[in-house]
Amino acid sequence: MAQWTSAVGAAQLARLLNSQQDRPAGPGTRRPPAYRALADGIRLLVLEGRVPVAARLPAERELAVALSVSRTTVAAAYEALRTEGFLESRRGAGSWTAVPAGNPLPARGLEPLPPEALGSMIDLGCAALPAPEPWLTRAVQGALEELPPYAHTHGDYPAGLPALRSMIAERYTGRGIPTMPEQIMVTTGAMGAIDAICHLFGGRGERIAVESPSYANILQLMREAGARLVPVAMAEGLAGWDMDRWRQVLREAAPRIAYVVADFHNPTGALADEDQRRRLVEAARSAGTVLVVDETMSELYLEQDLEMPRPVCGFDPAGSTVITVGSASKAFWAGMRIGWVRAAPDVIRSLVAARAYADLGTPVLEQLAVNWLFSTGGWEQAVEIRRGQARENRDALVAAVRRELPGWEFEVPRGGLTLWVRTGGLSGSRLAEAGERVGVRVPSGPRFGVDGAFEGYVRLPFTVGGAVAEEAATRLAAAARLVETGGSAGTEAPRTFVA
């Protein structure tokens, strides 16, 4: 029986491989043979999860034609991958990707670094900060005091605790968006909210328009739901959405859903202005597209003089076009898995009904903790602590990267948690691999794109500051040198670092 569970076509694999552009070799640097470069490219795609493990690869002849190379080159590359444990083959069944024994399975999203690796590895993969104490402890204590009456019930609240739904509705109303509790559903984080929305509106094979780049974990969630992603390029730098492109895509592709991050976009940090928000809502309404707006970064503005634009749902008074997703995970703490959806009451009823076949509901104790924060003013004080941490980390990381890697380009966002960095012509995938060798974990640009886009980028979150940010930049510079010189594993070893 064949051991592969999916397949990668020759044209698709060629696109992914051709996106891996490296800086031209400098004097004295030898380029690897063509077969070796091809084997390395496929290995990188497997390690990054962009080609799944157990995916059947194209036949040698098909891939040779797609890449305009000889069949001998492809055969030699496949043989090298088999020798290294990244490919298995069986006569009559073809060849499929594998991972050598002892290697961790590649992550297709952005999973947190295992705790046991924290001593030697600086984690720039996950855009999340430690909890803002003492507010986490106080919120849990307050939740425990409120828990006894709920302990006498079944504990399943598919729409969320009524008290928390009312509180979230009041907060939207306070922002100038009149909202009823019937328009709110509490979810298990923003990911749970978007997953529920995609299953309700998307369906396998449906088109979903996404910003390009966009948040890697959401892109992967949509791929695994069977969606056909339609990328819409962002404007340069921090300019936000390119409205001409959005109108064209919505008109011509007619996607069922469009997913956007208007407030401190992940990964670019762009903030959409009010005119862009109004025009996007109008374009979505005209196309019959449901606009899913991710507000998880909306409270993480880092400049005191920054006047935030109105929420996107404020430009949809009838509530027929925009579905808003919020969360406590970015503004407060990633371990607080509380998210919410704001939508028309009929949409909320449909989401709640569908939830009976998913997770039934969100943990009561965590809902009570967030409700305690909202009702006591603790949320505002905790988020202010979070803004201070992110601001200090951002400034330290920016200074360190500019000093150690002056050829890398980026614009400094006024909020959010991420820098989107152009790497001076180096392959982001190869930088990510080299970073693992020298002790810094960084996600490559293609994780945030569709079909291999953004190979020349990496995302750097504001999760470390001070001496750790300086050490992270030093290790990134070491990784860049490895990529530039074609250094082999073990050329530079990570140092144990204690903050």
Side-chain angles (χ1 to χ4, degrees), residues 2-371:
Q3 299 299 307
W4 51 274
T5 57
S6 62
V8 181
Q12 180 188 6
L13 184 56
R15 283 197 305 272
L16 292 170
L17 289 165
N18 287 334
S19 72
Q20 296 175 336
Q21 299 296 323
D22 282 323
R23 176 178 291 174
T29 301
R30 292 190 302 171
R31 287 193 176 278
Y35 85 90
R36 183 69 261 173
L38 175 56
D40 286 347
I42 294 174
R43 178 174 53 83
L44 275 174
L45 293 174
V46 173
L47 288 173
E48 283 219 313
R50 289 193 283 144
V51 168
V53 175
R56 186 177 187 272
L57 295 187
E60 295 170 1
R61 189 186 304 278
E62 293 175 0
L63 187 57
V65 170
L67 292 173
S68 298
V69 300
S70 71
R71 183 177 177 181
T72 302
T73 296
V74 177
Y78 278 14
E79 180 57 33
L81 289 168
R82 276 190 288 269
T83 300
E84 296 162 7
F86 285 95
L87 197 69
E88 295 182 11
S89 303
R90 180 175 298 166
R91 185 179 298 277
S95 300
W96 56 91
T97 56
V99 172
N103 277 41
L105 288 174
R108 305 205 68 185
L110 303 177
E111 288 77 11
L113 189 70
E116 62 269 17
L118 292 175
S120 60
M121 185 74 70
I122 297 176
D123 186 9
L124 296 182
C126 189
L129 290 163
E133 287 288 27
W135 294 106
L136 174 61
T137 298
R138 292 180 182 177
V140 173
Q141 290 171 342
L144 287 171
E145 293 175 2
E146 298 292 330
L147 182 61
Y150 294 94
H152 295 293
T153 73
H154 50 63
D156 287 334
Y157 296 87
L161 294 184
L164 181 55
R165 295 176 73 196
S166 296
M167 185 62 66
I168 294 171
E170 287 179 18
R171 291 176 65 83
Y172 275 106
T173 301
R175 295 167 68 189
I177 315 297
T179 303
M180 304 178 296
E182 292 79 9
Q183 292 177 262
I184 302 296
M185 181 176 87
V186 180
T187 62
T188 308
M191 291 288 289
I194 294 169
D195 182 56
I197 293 166
C198 287
H199 279 89
L200 179 63
F201 289 97
R204 186 163 294 275
E206 289 280 5
R207 294 186 180 93
I208 300 181
V210 295
E211 297 149 326
S212 183
S214 186
Y215 179 37
N217 284 339
I218 293 296
L219 294 180
Q220 190 57 32
L221 181 155
M222 292 174 175
R223 290 188 188 102
E224 293 183 358
R228 297 162 61 190
L229 300 184
V230 182
V232 185
M234 298 283 287
E236 282 296 314
L238 298 178
W241 298 329
D242 185 324
M243 288 311 307
D244 290 337
R245 289 174 177 165
W246 269 107
R247 277 196 301 270
Q248 180 182 2
V249 167
L250 294 178
R251 182 176 62 249
E252 296 178 358
R256 185 71 181 92
I257 300 173
Y259 168 77
V260 297
V261 185
D263 301 291
F264 309 120
H265 175 259
N266 186 353
T268 69
L271 176 66
D273 62 34
E274 290 206 357
D275 184 58
Q276 290 172 321
R277 295 168 189 239
R278 179 185 300 105
R279 292 164 64 192
L280 184 58
V281 172
E282 292 171 353
R285 185 182 297 119
S286 297
T289 298
V290 175
L291 189 60
V292 180
V293 180
D294 186 333
E295 281 192 339
T296 54
M297 297 279 194
S298 63
E299 296 192 62
L300 291 177
Y301 51 86
L302 306 183
E303 308 295 344
Q304 297 294 340
D305 61 344
L306 179 59
E307 183 175 346
M308 291 293 292
R310 277 189 294 167
V312 177
C313 58
F315 299 95
D316 181 37
S320 59
T321 300
V322 177
I323 297 178
T324 304
V325 172
S327 171
S329 296
K330 296 297 185 185
F332 186 75
W333 184 47
M336 188 69 76
R337 305 306 305 159
I338 298 295
W340 52 85
V341 178
R342 181 198 182 274
D346 62 319
V347 172
I348 294 298
R349 285 193 293 271
S350 296
L351 289 169
V352 171
R355 194 171 194 180
Y357 308 101
D359 64 355
L360 293 178
T362 301
V364 170
L365 188 62
E366 292 185 24
Q367 291 187 70
L368 289 172
V370 172
N371 191 59

